[in-house]
């Protein structure tokens, strides 16, 4: 973990190039203004002890132990949406900053001696404007910069459905690939009886993800059947570099390395996010039984399955009214699984992480780990607090965090936020899985290096992030 000097991110005028011509740097373009992100990432690689004998020379190759020439690499940022839903906030707290992606890619190209393919890829929400996102973030310019220097890199949208809101919150599908076409660039991966949903699959007809058709969910999650639609770019990659944005999350508590893998799946309606109904009634959509909330949920379901624009609009109006009444008259304001009692989303997230580590190129799950290399590098410079992931408020932490397993990295990140990882199901359960495990060590064995010095997790200074409203009082350390 490395402290980033200065405040905020550099501009994209020089394609996020460094302001210093380091010995290993391979391009002519140098920024005229400081780039603390590039400097911080370079220092982080050194402090991780990577290729120390060559540091300070043109031969320094800190990522050379991961890859060589001829490799396929996927860099997976958090590109959830093209705009922040919180008024007055921009992209800094919402998505992975491209300044960090640029620094990472420079050292990947060094490791492969320029002979590799890099895909910067994510599957945002279905109504995200991907082209606007990569333009506003500066990624399109970085891709053009690399291509002009003869290097193979592309930005790719992994979604299989793209929509937009058409009045009153009704989604209109703009483009969709049929299931028969999906095999061209996505593969159905069956986890089935090894899925972490297995123990609650009696409720599978009630699995939901907001604004998506529940019938599709039921087709892929039923008793003994749990499958996801994974990008072939992910399955075929020799190396995955996971580059999440550290934020609070209304359903999962936080989003970091583990949660970021939701974006390797092409259809969001393959991803159970909550289970319909109150906790008392066997669901986790909200806590206590509520006729208004039950009616709201029913109207949302009908709208998502309706085939006509008129009925969708009418159901959207009715759903909005009952939702507003629910907020006024309910004792607790938990909706859509956006609270600490969500017992569904962590299972989906950890299923996807196990797919990454155990699925072969053809999508078959093996008993042992696949040969894929993995590294996670967290953008924790400007983070998001409050109602993340879509309405985060900026919170400066000024760290870049890195590791080779997502679970310990997320544990450390949650501690920096002032949260107790034992109160975050995704992180807590990532250490408890016995079949297709994500880790083979305990939290007590995690080694933490901060700015070159080893520290105990308990010694990390807490930044006291404001949690999402549904987690307030239930996620904090104290």
């Amino acid at each position: 973990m490395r402290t980033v000097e200065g405040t905020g991110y550099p501009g994209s005028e020089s394609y996020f190039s460094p302001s210093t011509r380091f010995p290993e740097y391979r391009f002519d373009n140098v920024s005229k203004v400081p780039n603390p992100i590039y400097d911080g990432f370079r220092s982080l690689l050194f402090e991780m002890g990577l290729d120390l004998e060559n540091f300070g020379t043109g031969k320094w190759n800190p990522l050379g132990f991961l890859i060589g020439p001829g490799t396929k690499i996927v860099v997976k940022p958090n590109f959830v949406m093209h705009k922040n839903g919180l008024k007055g906030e921009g992209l800094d707290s919402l998505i992975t900053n491209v300044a960090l992606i640029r620094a990472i890619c420079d050292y990947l190209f060094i490791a492969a001696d320029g002979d590799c393919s890099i895909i910067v890829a994510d599957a945002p929400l279905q109504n995200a404007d991907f082209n606007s996102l990569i333009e506003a973030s500066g990624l399109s310019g970085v891709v053009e910069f690399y291509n002009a220097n003869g290097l193979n890199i592309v930005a790719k949208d992994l979604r299989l459905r793209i929509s937009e809101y058409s009045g009153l919150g009704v989604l209109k599908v703009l483009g969709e690939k049929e299931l028969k076409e999906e095999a061209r660039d996505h593969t159905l991966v069956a986890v089935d009886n090894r899925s972490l949903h297995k123990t609650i699959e009696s409720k599978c007809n009630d699995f939901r993800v907001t604004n998506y058709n529940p019938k599709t969910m039921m087709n892929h999650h039923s008793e003994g059947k749990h499958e996801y639609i994974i990008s072939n770019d992910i399955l075929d990659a020799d190396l995955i570099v996971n580059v999440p944005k550290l934020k609070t999350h209304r359903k999962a508590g936080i989003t970091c390395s583990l949660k970021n893998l939701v974006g390797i799946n092409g259809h969001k309606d393959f991803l159970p996010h909550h289970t319909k109904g109150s906790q008392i009634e066997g669901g986790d959509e909200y806590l206590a039984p509520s006729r208004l909330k039950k009616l709201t949920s029913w109207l949302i379901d009908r709208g998502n399955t309706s085939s006509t624009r008129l009925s969708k609009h009418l159901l959207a109006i009715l759903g909005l009214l009952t939702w507003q009444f629910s907020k006024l008259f309910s004792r607790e304001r938990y909706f859509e699984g956006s609270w600490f009692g969500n017992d569904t989303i962590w299972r989906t997230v950890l299923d996807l992480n196990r797919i990454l580590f155990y699925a072969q190129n053809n999508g078959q799950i093996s008993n042992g780990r696949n040969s894929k290399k993995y590294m996670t590098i967290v953008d924790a410079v400007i983070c998001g607090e409050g109602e993340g992931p879509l309405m985060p408020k900026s919170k400066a932490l000024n760290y870049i965090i890195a590791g080779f397993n997502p679970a310990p990295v997320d544990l450390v990140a949650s501690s920096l936020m002032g949260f107790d990882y034992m109160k975050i199901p995704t992180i807590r359960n990532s250490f408890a899985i016995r079949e297709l495990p994500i880790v083979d060590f305990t939290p007590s064995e995690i080694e933490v290096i901060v700015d070159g010095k080893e520290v105990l997790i308990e010694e990390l200074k807490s930044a006291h992030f404001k949690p999402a409203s549904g987690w307030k009082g239930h996620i904090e350390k104290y």
Side-chain angles (χ1 to χ4, degrees):
M1 189 164 63
R2 175 69 190 182
T3 302
V4 173
E5 304 296 335
T7 58
Y9 300 103
S12 61
E13 294 81 7
S14 297
Y15 313 107
F16 304 104
S17 296
S19 56
T20 302
R21 192 179 297 279
F22 298 114
E24 71 277 8
Y25 187 63
R26 300 194 175 188
F27 303 101
D28 294 329
N29 190 288
V30 177
S31 176
K32 295 180 180 179
V33 297
N35 185 341
I37 306 301
Y38 201 107
D39 297 347
F41 179 66
R42 183 175 184 269
S43 296
L44 174 65
L45 296 176
F46 170 75
E47 290 164 2
M48 293 176 76
L50 303 178
D51 194 25
L52 290 180
E53 60 272 23
N54 288 313
F55 182 73
T57 75
K59 295 181 180 180
W60 192 48
N61 183 9
L63 300 182
F65 73 101
L66 285 175
I67 59 166
T71 51
K72 299 177 182 178
I73 304 164
V74 173
V75 174
K76 168 62 181 72
N78 183 331
F79 277 174
V80 63
M81 194 64 180
H82 63 280
K83 61 181 179 179
N84 194 318
L86 183 62
K87 187 177 180 180
E89 287 284 342
L91 296 179
D92 282 357
S93 62
L94 182 72
I95 64 171
T96 305
N97 193 272
V98 176
L100 181 56
I101 294 173
R102 165 66 201 278
I104 292 167
C105 289
D106 270 17
Y107 286 97
L108 291 173
F109 280 125
I110 288 173
D113 197 23
D115 181 17
C116 65
S117 65
I118 297 178
I119 301 173
V120 182
D122 194 13
L125 290 183
Q126 62 172 313
N127 60 310
D129 185 335
F130 190 78
N131 290 332
S132 173
L133 192 159
I134 64 171
E135 184 66 33
S137 67
L139 180 60
S140 58
V142 169
V143 169
E144 291 173 5
F145 168 78
Y146 281 130
N147 292 163
N149 281 276
L151 298 170
N152 183 5
I153 182 171
V154 296
K156 190 168 183 179
D157 184 350
L158 300 182
R159 292 175 297 177
L160 291 166
R161 180 184 297 123
I162 301 171
S163 306
E164 69 176 3
Y165 280 107
S166 177
L168 296 173
V170 176
L171 281 167
K172 175 184 177 183
V173 175
L174 300 179
E176 182 171 15
K177 295 182 179 180
E178 299 296 333
L179 281 172
K180 64 183 179 181
E181 296 178 348
E182 288 174 353
R184 297 177 187 175
D185 50 18
H186 286 69
T187 296
L188 280 171
V189 177
V191 188
D192 294 342
N193 289 324
R194 290 175 156 185
S195 170
L196 296 170
H197 290 293
K198 176 66 179 175
T199 57
I200 61 167
E201 66 180 16
S202 61
K203 309 173 187 177
C204 57
N205 286 344
D206 291 328
F207 288 171
R208 293 292 186 272
V209 55
T210 307
N211 292 330
Y212 292 84
N213 190 334
K215 291 182 179 179
T216 304
M217 181 82 71
M218 294 175 199
N219 288 338
H220 300 285
H221 291 277
S222 57
E223 291 196 20
K225 179 182 181 181
H226 299 282
E227 58 188 13
Y228 302 88
I229 186 75
I230 306 299
S231 163
N232 289 341
D233 292 315
I234 297 294
L235 294 173
D236 292 341
D238 301 302
L239 169 67
I240 301 291
V241 182
N242 191 4
V243 196
K245 167 68 75 173
L246 182 59
K247 297 185 286 186
T248 51
H249 194 286
R250 295 176 68 225
K251 288 182 170 62
I254 77 166
T255 174
C256 195
S257 310
L258 292 163
K259 177 64 175 62
N260 200 42
L261 286 200
V262 164
I264 70 174
N265 182 91
H267 269 313
K268 289 291 188 287
D269 39 15
F270 279 61
L271 303 175
H273 274 55
H274 66 266
T275 302
K276 189 173 71 171
S278 72
Q279 189 178 67
I280 294 173
E281 297 165 319
D284 61 16
E285 190 175 3
Y286 41 88
L287 175 60
S290 165
R291 291 181 179 178
L292 276 173
K293 290 182 180 180
K294 190 171 185 177
L295 177 58
T296 301
S297 184
W298 181 83
L299 290 167
I300 290 171
D301 276 355
R302 290 299 300 266
N304 287 333
T305 56
S306 177
S307 58
T308 68
R309 289 280 299 279
L310 178 60
S311 61
K312 283 182 180 291
H313 277 284
L314 290 174
L315 289 163
I317 294 170
L318 291 172
L320 182 61
L321 289 172
T322 57
W323 179 69
Q324 293 291 352
F325 278 119
S326 297
K327 289 174 66 177
L328 289 173
F329 298 111
S330 295
R331 292 180 181 178
E332 40 88 358
R333 296 191 174 186
Y334 305 139
F335 297 90
E336 300 175 346
S338 298
W339 66 301
F340 68 93
N342 189 315
D343 190 42
T344 305
I345 186 65
W346 70 265
R347 302 170 189 272
T348 298
V349 169
L350 296 185
D351 268 2
L352 292 168
N353 278 266
R354 294 156 82 220
I355 285 171
L356 184 72
F357 292 126
Y358 290 92
Q360 302 301 315
N361 291 23
N362 61 3
Q364 295 297 308
I365 301 294
S366 58
N367 291 323
R369 288 212 174 196
N370 55 39
S371 61
K372 204 181 306 296
K373 301 292 182 64
Y374 173 94
M375 186 174 187
T376 183
I377 303 164
V378 183
D379 177 0
V381 181
I382 303 297
C383 307
E385 66 174 359
E387 301 306 309
L390 299 179
M391 300 174 62
K393 183 179 179 181
S394 294
K395 176 83 169 181
L397 195 56
N398 294 320
Y399 279 121
I400 301 172
I401 312 168
F404 301 102
N405 187 294
V409 169
D410 284 16
L411 188 155
V412 170
S414 67
S415 184
L416 290 169
M417 299 171 87
F419 298 157
D420 181 351
Y421 84 92
M422 288 298 290
K423 298 177 182 178
I424 305 171
T426 305
I427 304 176
R428 182 182 70 242
N429 289 305
S430 69
F431 285 92
I433 300 169
R434 295 293 174 261
E435 186 177 18
L436 307 181
I438 293 173
V439 301
D440 58 0
F441 49 85
T442 65
S444 63
E445 297 175 272
I446 298 172
E447 295 180 2
V448 182
I449 308 295
V450 181
D451 297 334
K453 297 179 180 180
E454 186 170 354
V455 301
L456 298 175
I457 293 176
E458 296 78 15
E459 296 173 336
L460 293 173
K461 186 177 180 180
S462 181
H464 302 292
F465 276 55
K466 180 182 178 181
S469 56
W471 291 76
K472 187 176 181 180
H474 298 276
I475 192 173
E476 300 90 340
K477 285 183 183 177
Y478 314 109

